[in-house]
Amino acid sequence: MKSKLALLLIGILVCSAVPVSAKAKKKPKKKPTRSKKMPTKVQQAQPKVVGSFFASETSSFSLCYLFDFSAPTKTFPTVTQEVLLDITRRSSQDRIHFISADSLIPKEPMFQNALPVLATAENKRTAEAFVKTLKPYETTDPVAAFYRAYEVLNNSKQPGRVVYYLTDGNSANPTKLLAEIKKLKAAQPEGKNIYVNVILYSKAPTPAALANCKKITTLTSGRFKHCKGDPAAKPSPP
């Protein structure tokens, strides 16, 4: 019994003699640190501009607006309003031109640069002034206007070339017009296609006028829209 007590006392003395440094130290708890996040720019989706009549999804286009109205129509103010609105939406990298088929010699704005011109602020002002002077004419010649439109657009090196054919559908000779557009298309260099988007402004077009407009878009891989006369209404689908 005495020997057991002696051994116990020796063990206690040995433990008390061990220096504190030799004992296992508890690691201090690290204070939680907040990770510093680098500020990132919030990328907001840019609203896509979509017009009632003129919607372009490509970054740059060469556009020629061709007006062909041979009779007074209530929709003509809509025509000019929509074109004026579209002019403001044009990127400075777009190229634009305007032709009115109101005579044997198509009327055009007096731009100071090579055609089609870049849609700069100055050229937009010139275009707007020209559009505001337009009105329906008794005699039109869309054939001469189309030849001029193709000539202008062929000067552009941009791949997207489009004629916006704005018409009331009252062409004097629609068969001739379609035949001449076929000739223009056939004469185009390979890989230099020109699309024709037809926008028909007529409340009750004849079946022949409607069919002819659709044939033009089919021939040139363009698009067709029909505005039936309500200035507040969007064009009805074909």
Side-chain angles (χ1 to χ4, degrees), residues 191-207:
K192 207 171 183 180
N193 190 36
I194 292 178
Y195 306 91
V196 180
N197 291 352
V198 179
I199 305 170
L200 175 62
Y201 295 86
S202 177
K203 189 173 183 179
T206 63

Side-chain angles (χ1 to χ4, degrees), residues 1-236:
M1 184 70 179
K2 288 181 180 180
S3 61
K4 287 183 178 180
L5 289 171
L7 289 172
L8 181 60
L9 289 170
I10 292 170
I12 292 171
L13 290 171
V14 171
C15 288
S16 62
V18 176
V20 177
S21 60
K23 293 181 181 179
K25 293 181 179 179
K26 290 185 179 180
K27 293 182 179 180
K29 292 183 179 179
K30 291 184 178 179
K31 292 182 180 180
T33 57
R34 294 181 181 178
S35 59
K36 294 182 179 180
K37 294 183 178 180
M38 296 298 292
T40 56
K41 293 182 179 179
V42 179
Q43 294 181 349
Q44 296 179 345
Q46 295 297 323
K48 185 179 178 181
V49 178
V50 179
S52 299
F53 307 108
F54 314 100
S56 303
E57 297 180 359
T58 327
S59 57
S60 59
F61 259 102
S62 290
L63 307 172
C64 184
Y65 302 78
L66 197 161
F67 300 83
D68 178 21
F69 290 85
S70 58
T73 172
K74 292 181 180 180
T75 61
F76 196 74
T78 306
V79 179
T80 55
Q81 288 169 13
E82 289 293 333
V83 172
L84 289 171
L85 178 60
D86 194 60
I87 291 172
T88 64
R89 289 196 294 254
R90 288 300 111 208
S91 160
S92 59
Q93 298 304 311
D94 288 336
R95 290 185 174 274
I96 54 176
H97 193 53
F98 301 80
I99 298 174
S100 178
D102 55 20
S103 62
L104 295 176
I105 302 176
K107 291 185 177 180
E108 305 169 56
M110 298 295 292
F111 291 117
Q112 300 299 316
N113 311 99
L115 303 178
V117 297
L118 287 170
T120 61
E122 181 181 355
N123 287 333
K124 285 181 179 181
R125 285 192 293 270
T126 301
E128 289 167 355
F130 174 77
V131 171
K132 288 177 181 178
T133 66
L134 297 178
K135 59 182 180 180
Y137 287 82
E138 292 183 2
T139 304
T140 64
D141 186 7
V143 171
F146 263 100
Y147 270 88
R148 178 58 178 157
Y150 269 68
E151 179 185 0
V152 169
L153 290 179
N154 276 328
N155 291 334
S156 175
K157 295 180 180 179
Q158 291 174 338
R161 302 173 188 84
V162 181
V163 174
Y164 278 116
Y165 181 38
L166 317 174
T167 179
D168 56 9
N170 295 322
S171 177
N173 194 338
T175 303
K176 179 183 178 183
L177 175 61
L178 187 63
E180 294 299 326
I181 292 175
K182 284 182 180 179
K183 291 180 184 178
L184 286 167
K185 180 177 172 59
Q188 282 298 108
E190 186 177 353
K192 207 171 183 180
N193 190 36
I194 292 178
Y195 306 91
V196 180
N197 291 352
V198 179
I199 305 170
L200 175 62
Y201 295 86
S202 177
K203 189 173 183 179
T206 63
L210 197 61
N212 191 63
C213 289
K214 291 183 178 181
K215 285 178 183 178
I216 292 173
T217 56
T218 300
L219 175 65
T220 61
S221 302
R223 296 179 181 180
F224 171 79
K225 289 184 180 180
H226 180 199
C227 180
K228 292 186 176 181
D230 183 0
K234 292 183 179 180
S236 60

